[in-house]
Amino acid sequence: MPPRAAFRSDAAALSLNGPWRFHLSPSPAEAPDGIESDSYDDSAWHPLPVPGHWQLNGHGRPAYTNIRYPFPVTPPAPPSDNPTGDHRLTFDLPADWPAGPAVLRFDGIDSCGRIWLNGTELGITTGSRLPSEFAVGPLLRPTGNVLAVRVHQWSAGSYLEDQDMWWLSGIFRDVTLLARPEGGVRDYTLHADYDHTTGHGTLRLDADPGVRVSVPALGIDALPAGQSAHVPVQPWSAESPRLYDGEVHTGAERVPVRIGFRTVSIDDGVLKVNGRRIVFRGVNRHEFHPELGRALPQAWAVADIELMKRHNVNAVRTSHYPPDPGFLDLCDRYGLWVIDECDLETHGFSELGWRDNPSDDPRWAAAYLDRMARTVERDKNHPSVIMWSLGNEAHTGRNLAATAAWTRRRDPGRPLHYEGDADCAYVDVHSRMYASHEDVDRIGRGELGPPRSRELPFILCEFAHAMGTGPGGLVEYRELFERHERCQGGFVWEWLDHGIARHDDRGRPYFAYGGDFGEPLHDGNFVIDGMLHPDRTPSPALIEFAKVFEPVRIAGTRGGLRITNLYDCVPLDHLSFDWTLEAQGTEIAVGALDVPDLPPGGSADLALPPLPATAAESWLTVRARLAGDTPWAAAGHVVAWGQLPVTPAPPPPAPASGAPVRADGTALRLGPGRFDARTGHLTALGHLPVQSPRLDLWRAPVDNDRAADAPEEQTWRAAGLHRLQHHLLDIDRGDGVLVVRTRVAPAGLGFGMRADYRWSADAHRLRLRLDVEPEGEWPCTLPRLGLRMALPAALDTVEWYGRGPGEAYADFRQAARVGRFTSDVDALQTPNVYPQENGNRLNVRHLRLTGTDGTGAGLRIDGEPHFAFTARRWTSEHLDAARHTTDLVPSDHLHLNLDIAQHGLGTAACGPGVLPHHRLHPHRASLVLTFTPLSEPLSEPVTPLSEPLPETLTPLPEPLPGPHHDSEAPAR
Ligand code: GAL
């Protein structure tokens, strides 16, 4: 049947989802004959859930490749080794099923289905993520209908479906039988425009004669197809998704519809909706579930949308195919801008220098048009869809140009997107993926891009590759979207890690990635690059995203506060504001804050609320919360916050000193510290055995360090930073000071670091000052600069005063606020599917490690003034060697890294590396820490340590200047 809108009406419908019978053959040639016949005996077949993928139900195996086709490239022929899944279902019609026409609808078959009903072949369908419908009325019988579907894993269509994702086959979306009443609604297009200059909407229905639309709330009653109604309305936007309930109807059928009025335009190179410039704070969303693959139940789509809305995501690019149709209903209802992308990617031809690329081969012209038509017709009635995308990474060619021309004619109301059209020959929006900050800035200034692109809105259809720890550099992109009117945001790659849930041979759960199913050709963990872990727990990336792209900015000014409304369309009347004042992380005052209602883009300067005076370091945190319940979060949900320093930390009292260094056999004693007199190593702190703190430069490389384009990891390994040797130069026992001088350097190379440890103590506290100084020609940046040490594993409760609660790095720190936080050691770890450096906490003033025995015994570490830490049950080397979470086996130590700084994260896994100001170069630096063994709980607040900042102390990398960045300088 020709493509048409997806809708449900009051006509009878029968879901054919459920257990089907299934048989897998290695190739079409080996598949059984006669499966379409009633008498075929499928009793030896297996039950298989439909919707579902056979590879995730015990038949065959998933395979992951990014770009390369996993079969020889001989278009349009698929390989003869072509797994073929036969599906059979026997069903009865309900007793009240109406006689007459009926349609059998498949919402998605991957990749090719041949379909028979009651022995009659209905046809063959390709276009995996697109619907296909067959007229079946005369074939139906009241009972014993036999539906047989032969699905081939590979088809000509596979050449057009080379998206970066798991290859998974089968009938993976709904199958439905729909009664089609004579004189019913065959198809309809609702045009619902909004004129922001008059506040009027215009509704027009395109449909067969006799079809009408009614919208009671607007007084529109049985408006015939072809006529328009002009009425005052509230517009639809992602921020205020006003929908009007109505009906498209004939005498024979009624279709409930939800209408959103909005007009998309491009004015003077700026993309607007309802006359307002919008900025995409978006994500690329694949449909994926760790057990079900792309057969994603609606409840998970709802979970996705609620998570998006709660984390300030305002837009989705449906990478790289139309989603399940139900997802777009949710986008209409909850409010998200959508770029709806056609099911098209031929990236594998890039491996052949784009030779034979279907995009420019006339033999594929009809297939291109067919895919786009099925996308547009299915989804045309969704207000959330504000742009069509021709596909992804299919290079250029006449078939794309023709598809663009068809789409423009069919739907002039929506601009066209396609990133691959680098010249912007047939698109309305200039789009790039992974452009560097510098390129975006130049594009914004009109200095980069082909001539036509300079008159178009610019978006990053993919940026901030969220693979592993990171992405770094998000806030710098936001600044570009604010600086340049035509730079209208982007879509983070990507929403979700596509890890597949498995168990190892000891029954422990883990998430699998490419190569874990024995694929001869695969792209490893490149499929694990989302802001959600596979089980949909937000990774730190999503928390950072939510902070960077919050719709309200709360910033300090000289002596006051500035509130800026960054929504594109709505005022702030749906929010309430409150504040808390914390001294050393303990709340001492709270209040409500009166914020005038601000129009989009508006800002107001406010005086600070009346704050009690405190002697301790204090911070004011202002939060903007939902004033009422929404479908995606309850009243009170925090949409934005800002933090300002109020009282600086008081001058610290005297440092630990005065205790003598005493010899004790082969040991030296200094205050609570015990040292090995021969090595200078600290061996105990009070009753706690320790592995001595020592200089450490290594981190388990993050995915962004491992990138091919910016191979920091290779440089670091070549420089031997993972195998440093510690050479003792001398031990100096001065008056109340123990100085251990060392040189730390890799074998076989000439450069190194002087590392001097200067210990002093009083009766209870041991103070360490580490001074490092690079020597020789250093060839590279440093992964880390700090100390490592180990303590008994029993110290598994961590409390700190500093930035938290989540992990933070130099270029990934917007979401970390100053406060007092507690966690157990396990919860400090980010469960990256591919293990790597994670869990760093920044700007820590002090840290307490205690056991769960409840005695409070343990260790306190104070910085002068700050340090960063990670605490783990394994070493950086273990983390480095691990390939799956199950490789991380707790040791009987707690491994602590206490750092001056780390190299930034960047997004080099796909995109630009670490920005210059976040790179960590070898430099002279110091770290001052005081260790206090705890035999009982400390009363808080603890007196801070003293001594002015040593002049050589290198603070952590400064945030960028400018009002948008947090700063630790006090407001008064
Ligand atoms: C892009 C592509 C995405 C994904 C990403 C890297 O080139 O469009 O599908 O592969 O790179 O993760």
Side-chain angles (χ1 to χ4, degrees):
M1 306 230 357
R4 60 175 186 140
F7 63 84
R8 295 299 287 266
S9 73
D10 63 351
L14 178 65
S15 168
L16 299 181
N17 295 348
W20 289 40
R21 306 293 297 162
F22 178 76
H23 173 79
L24 183 67
S25 309
S27 70
E30 291 156 277
D33 286 332
I35 63 158
E36 70 279 17
S37 125
D38 281 13
S39 57
Y40 185 87
D41 178 9
D42 63 17
S43 57
W45 290 17
H46 303 273
L48 183 88
V50 169
H53 297 287
W54 66 66
Q55 291 92 344
L56 298 179
N57 284 283
H59 307 276
R61 292 162 168 213
Y64 165 60
T65 59
N66 169 10
I67 298 173
R68 295 166 294 180
Y69 292 102
F71 48 79
V73 184
T74 55
S80 57
D81 281 349
N82 185 356
T84 295
D86 287 325
H87 300 66
R88 287 180 101 247
L89 175 75
T90 304
F91 66 94
D92 299 338
L93 296 179
D96 56 354
W97 188 263
V103 160
L104 179 62
R105 178 181 175 98
F106 292 87
D107 281 319
I109 300 178
D110 193 329
S111 81
C112 169
R114 183 173 178 191
I115 301 154
W116 298 265
L117 181 64
N118 295 333
T120 300
E121 184 174 341
L122 303 180
I124 291 176
T125 178
T126 56
S128 297
R129 271 68 64 173
L130 294 165
S132 24
E133 290 185 321
F134 303 88
V136 295
L139 299 175
L140 288 170
R141 48 198 188 210
T143 57
N145 292 284
V146 176
L147 180 57
V149 185
R150 171 158 291 176
V151 180
H152 302 290
Q153 172 152 13
W154 311 120
S155 65
S158 303
Y159 288 100
L160 308 185
E161 294 174 6
D162 190 26
Q163 292 94 340
D164 173 7
M165 60 190 192
W166 292 99
W167 296 99
L168 292 170
S169 322
I171 306 171
F172 74 100
R173 285 185 184 161
D174 291 344
V175 185
T176 320
L177 184 68
L178 301 159
R180 301 301 315 126
E182 300 283 3
V185 179
R186 190 183 50 84
D187 188 13
Y188 65 91
T189 308
L190 280 168
H191 302 275
D193 297 330
Y194 179 74
D195 181 344
H196 66 278
T197 61
T198 62
H200 278 65
T202 304
L203 184 67
R204 187 165 56 85
L205 171 70
D206 280 349
D208 294 336
V211 183
R212 293 165 181 266
V213 59
S214 298
V215 189
L218 296 176
I220 298 174
D221 185 24
L223 179 75
Q227 292 184 21
S228 300
H230 194 61
V231 280
V233 295
Q234 287 168 359
W236 185 96
S237 73
E239 293 166 0
S240 176
R242 178 70 166 99
L243 292 172
Y244 290 90
D245 287 324
E247 259 184 6
V248 168
H249 51 95
T250 65
E253 187 175 20
R254 310 187 81 81
V255 182
V257 292
R258 308 197 79 187
I259 301 168
F261 290 85
R262 94 272 172 287
T263 292
V264 187
S265 62
I266 295 178
D267 298 338
D268 218 5
V270 178
L271 175 73
K272 293 182 176 169
V273 180
N274 303 332
R276 302 206 60 89
R277 170 186 186 251
I278 61 166
V279 177
F280 293 122
R281 302 159 176 113
V283 295
N284 281 279
R285 175 179 180 269
H286 270 283
E287 300 208 303
F288 189 77
H289 181 281
E291 277 146 13
L292 306 168
R294 288 185 287 277
L296 189 75
Q298 179 85 345
W300 293 91
V302 172
D304 279 347
I305 298 230
E306 291 184 351
L307 279 166
M308 287 177 188
K309 294 291 288 186
R310 286 181 205 144
H311 291 89
N312 297 331
V313 172
N314 76 350
V316 174
R317 172 177 177 234
T318 68
S319 54
H320 300 301
Y321 43 81
D324 184 85
F327 179 73
L328 296 176
D329 294 332
L330 297 171
C331 293
D332 293 346
R333 183 161 101 82
Y334 285 81
L336 286 165
W337 309 119
V338 176
I339 299 185
D340 192 356
E341 191 152 275
C342 187
D343 190 1
L344 180 83
E345 173 160 341
T346 65
H347 205 174
F349 286 88
S350 66
E351 304 281 304
L352 285 67
W354 294 107
R355 184 167 43 77
D356 296 335
N357 182 26
S359 297
D360 202 36
D361 178 341
R363 290 180 299 164
W364 298 87
Y368 275 57
L369 283 174
D370 169 68
R371 282 169 185 258
M372 196 66 196
R374 283 156 76 192
T375 303
V376 171
E377 299 301 345
R378 193 195 77 165
D379 296 341
K380 61 197 170 196
N381 290 317
H382 288 283
S384 55
V385 175
I386 59 162
M387 233 189 260
W388 301 115
S389 176
L390 303 180
N392 186 57
E393 295 183 321
H395 201 50
T396 52
R398 66 192 97 166
N399 297 335
L400 287 162
T403 305
W406 176 87
T407 311
R408 218 182 283 289
R409 278 198 308 279
R410 178 69 185 97
D411 182 12
R414 290 182 176 97
L416 293 188
H417 167 270
Y418 173 57
E419 181 269 350
D421 178 14
D423 294 334
C424 299
Y426 39 79
V427 293
D428 301 310
V429 170
H430 180 208
S431 173
R432 292 260 312 261
M433 46 174 78
Y434 309 109
S436 65
H437 301 84
E438 194 190 341
D439 277 6
V440 175
D441 194 29
R442 291 182 58 208
I443 290 169
R445 285 190 270 121
E447 293 169 6
L448 187 70
R452 187 170 133 71
S453 76
R454 300 186 192 197
E455 288 148 29
L456 302 180
F458 173 73
I459 64 166
L460 285 162
C461 67
E462 295 178 25
F463 80 120
H465 197 253
M467 185 177 184
T469 306
L474 215 47
V475 75
E476 288 87 351
Y477 278 112
R478 180 191 78 194
E479 283 168 0
L480 294 164
F481 306 152
E482 291 180 0
R483 191 178 307 157
H484 302 298
E485 207 189 10
R486 286 192 315 107
C487 293
Q488 295 190 259
F491 297 79
V492 165
W493 188 267
E494 68 175 308
W495 177 238
L496 175 72
D497 287 344
H498 313 208
I500 294 184
R502 298 198 87 193
H503 288 86
D504 70 3
D505 41 20
R506 290 163 52 190
R508 296 174 307 164
Y510 71 100
F511 291 110
Y513 48 79
D516 287 340
F517 297 92
E519 308 103 288
L521 194 70
H522 66 82
D523 289 295
N525 67 325
F526 206 62
V527 77
I528 307 293
D529 52 3
M531 295 201 290
L532 296 182
H533 299 301
D535 61 2
R536 283 186 163 69
T537 47
S539 83
L542 189 60
I543 311 300
E544 182 77 356
F545 181 101
K547 176 65 183 141
V548 168
F549 290 111
E550 55 191 11
V552 179
R553 177 150 315 130
I554 300 166
T557 56
R558 214 173 273 278
L561 276 172
R562 175 168 300 162
I563 311 286
T564 308
N565 178 357
L566 299 172
Y567 285 102
D568 297 321
C569 309
V570 297
L572 296 187
D573 55 357
H574 63 296
L575 302 178
S576 67
F577 290 75
D578 55 51
W579 59 268
T580 56
L581 184 71
E582 290 176 342
Q584 284 234 13
T586 302
E587 186 178 289
I588 56 169
V590 298
L593 189 74
D594 258 345
V595 174
D597 191 16
L598 294 169
S603 67
D605 285 342
L606 307 179
L608 290 183
L611 302 173
T614 75
E617 177 182 359
S618 71
W619 286 75
L620 175 71
T621 307
V622 176
R623 294 183 171 87
R625 301 174 188 271
L626 290 178
D629 293 344
T630 66
W632 46 272
H637 167 80
V638 175
V639 302
W641 57 272
Q643 210 181 25
L644 286 90
V646 176
T647 320
S657 69
V661 182
R662 288 184 287 115
D664 179 3
T666 57
L668 294 174
R669 288 183 182 277
L670 175 60
R674 184 186 161 94
F675 294 82
D676 184 319
R678 299 156 306 177
T679 61
H681 290 162
L682 178 70
T683 56
L685 271 162
H687 295 297
L688 277 179
V690 303
Q691 271 177 20
S692 190
R694 67 175 207 201
L695 180 70
D696 198 38
L697 305 179
W698 191 243
R699 75 175 175 198
V702 299
D703 287 307
N704 290 316
D705 297 330
R706 300 165 56 226
D709 293 348
E712 304 281 2
E713 179 191 9
Q714 262 168 271
T715 335
W716 293 338
R717 282 196 203 277
L721 303 188
H722 60 310
R723 49 173 175 82
L724 296 174
Q725 298 189 8
H726 296 253
H727 179 62
L728 177 65
L729 300 174
D730 66 60
I731 301 180
D732 195 351
R733 287 164 55 180
D735 185 16
V737 188
L738 175 68
V739 182
V740 181
R741 297 195 178 84
T742 67
R743 186 171 185 280
V744 180
L749 294 164
F751 55 86
M753 290 254 182
R754 282 291 301 264
D756 294 348
Y757 306 79
R758 181 178 300 268
W759 298 94
S760 62
D762 61 19
H764 307 292
R765 301 176 299 161
L766 180 68
R767 181 173 185 265
L768 165 65
R769 176 185 169 120
L770 166 76
D771 293 305
V772 296
E773 183 163 359
E775 289 181 346
E777 287 284 305
W778 274 77
C780 58
T781 57
L782 303 176
R784 274 179 52 232
L785 181 59
L787 293 167
R788 72 189 289 172
M789 67 183 292
L791 295 160
L795 299 183
D796 56 4
T797 305
V798 183
E799 183 186 324
W800 74 99
Y801 175 47
R803 289 198 176 262
E807 69 183 32
Y809 293 83
D811 55 355
F812 180 90
R813 51 179 288 166
Q814 302 303 313
R817 64 174 197 276
V818 176
R820 183 187 293 263
F821 305 100
T822 12
S823 172
D824 63 29
V825 169
D826 291 330
L828 287 177
Q829 319 305 314
T830 301
N832 294 302
V833 170
Y834 187 96
Q836 54 195 282
E837 161 64 32
N838 71 88
N840 189 55
R841 265 61 180 188
L842 272 187
N843 292 109
V844 176
R845 284 78 164 151
H846 69 248
L847 167 67
R848 256 175 67 147
L849 302 159
T850 51
T852 34
D853 59 3
T855 62
L859 178 67
R860 174 176 166 132
I861 304 173
D862 285 79
E864 289 180 45
H866 299 170
F867 60 100
F869 81 92
T870 63
R872 312 187 168 108
R873 299 186 182 283
W874 35 79
T875 62
S876 298
E877 290 76 11
H878 286 132
L879 196 54
D880 190 356
R883 294 295 170 261
H884 293 93
T885 45
T886 41
D887 296 334
L888 293 170
V889 183
S891 69
D892 48 12
H893 289 107
L894 173 70
H895 296 277
L896 260 192
N897 288 346
L898 304 167
D899 289 347
I900 297 169
Q902 276 204 40
H903 192 64
L905 301 170
T907 58
C910 189
V914 177
L915 286 166
H917 55 286
H918 295 309
R919 299 173 70 79
L920 179 62
H921 295 282
H923 65 293
R924 211 168 151 226
S926 301
L927 177 64
V928 184
L929 301 171
T930 296
F931 300 90
T932 312
L934 306 174
S935 48
E936 55 192 76
L938 280 181
S939 59
E940 297 291 353
V942 173
T943 328
L945 298 165
S946 74
E947 199 187 36
L949 277 190
E951 65 289 357
T952 52
L953 185 126
T954 310
L956 288 162
E958 282 297 307
L960 278 185
H964 307 155
H965 291 278
D966 56 9
S967 124
E968 297 219 345
R972 72 168 197 216

